Amino acid sequence: MNGTTLRRTARGTGGGPGVQGTACESTTGDGASALAGPAPRNADGEGTLVLAAHGTRSAAGEATLARLADEVRAQRPGHRVELAYLEISRPLLADVLDAAHGPVTVVPLLLAGGYHVHIDLPAVVERVRPDAVLARHLGPHPVLAEALARRLTEAGLRAHHDIVLGAAGSSDPAALADVRGTAQHLAVLLGRPVTAAFASGGAPSLAQAVKPGTAIASYLLAPGFFHDRLLDAGADLVTAPLGTEVAELAWLRHDEARCAVTHR
């Protein structure tokens, strides 16, 4: 660690297609992107990408996140990728950051903003590895809408279903707005209404939004407490969590962060 100031990328509604380490992109609020020059190459190979998840008491949830990290590694062989957790699960983010080699980029495995994104995670990075680059959280982004649409098709979505985007929820209005942004992306993609609803914190609640004939698109990364709440909500169908579907987006957020530093 060299004690330099924690660097964050600008917040917006997301970028465009995956860069795959060949070009930097500038992004616009609607998900469009434009090439902005060559992608950065770190002095120590490609550095380390740290995937920062919240943590879960679900063994199935931890296994899903481990598979996600494996898929992220598989997309760029030879690039160091480490999975870490803010709490509950191990290894903890602070321990992984302390041991990480070379330039470090932290990508939050979090679908919306809120306390963990804006307070908790940055505080850990600033305390343990202030030279790290902290990327934007995953959503909203059109890639997520595409993945959700695939999950709905796999689960048996029909024309008569009302669609609910089921999310964990938050006391932070900005986090709820992030979820509603993804619901809007999904509605445009499917050409039909999508209602964002929340398992804990935020309105409408699952109880208010789910009725007979509802299909829930699970806006969660892995099984666990909140996905169980979706399964118990009384919908006709509930999709599987996103899991490995977000691997490409994790690299996109990594590239956005590295390019933002390079082109400052």
Side-chain angles (χ1 to χ4, degrees), residues 52-54 61 64-65 68 108-111 138 144 151 218-223 227 240-246:
H54 174 267
T64 297
L65 292 169
L68 168 57
L109 291 184
L110 299 166
L111 292 167
L138 297 178
L144 294 170
R151 288 286 197 248
S218 176
Y219 197 46
L220 301 167
L221 289 182
H227 193 252
L242 288 165
T244 57
E245 292 274 10
V246 305

Side-chain angles (χ1 to χ4, degrees), residues 196-223:
F198 305 95
S200 177
S205 66
L206 288 175
Q208 293 169 328
V210 175
K211 56 185 182 294
T214 297
I216 297 180
S218 176
Y219 197 46
L220 301 167
L221 289 182

Side-chain angles (χ1 to χ4, degrees), residues 114-137:
Y115 175 81
H116 293 299
V117 166
H118 302 310
I119 305 296
D120 195 17
L121 196 158
V124 175
V125 175
E126 179 66 34
R127 174 171 55 84
V128 179
R129 194 68 184 253
D131 60 312
V133 176
L134 181 54
R136 191 186 185 280
H137 56 282

Side-chain angles (χ1 to χ4, degrees), residues 76-143:
R76 295 192 187 177
H79 193 126
R80 287 186 292 272
V81 176
E82 302 291 346
L83 175 62
Y85 297 93
L86 282 166
E87 59 186 33
I88 304 172
S89 302
R90 297 293 186 273
L92 290 174
L93 177 60
D95 296 331
V96 171
L97 287 175
D98 190 52
H101 297 285
V104 174
T105 306
V106 180
V107 172
L109 291 184
L110 299 166
L111 292 167
Y115 175 81
H116 293 299
V117 166
H118 302 310
I119 305 296
D120 195 17
L121 196 158
V124 175
V125 175
E126 179 66 34
R127 174 171 55 84
V128 179
R129 194 68 184 253
D131 60 312
V133 176
L134 181 54
R136 191 186 185 280
H137 56 282
L138 297 178
H141 195 280
V143 166

Side-chain angles (χ1 to χ4, degrees), residues 223-235:
F225 174 80
F226 288 112
H227 193 252
D228 289 344
R229 295 283 295 270
L230 302 188
L231 293 172
D232 293 339

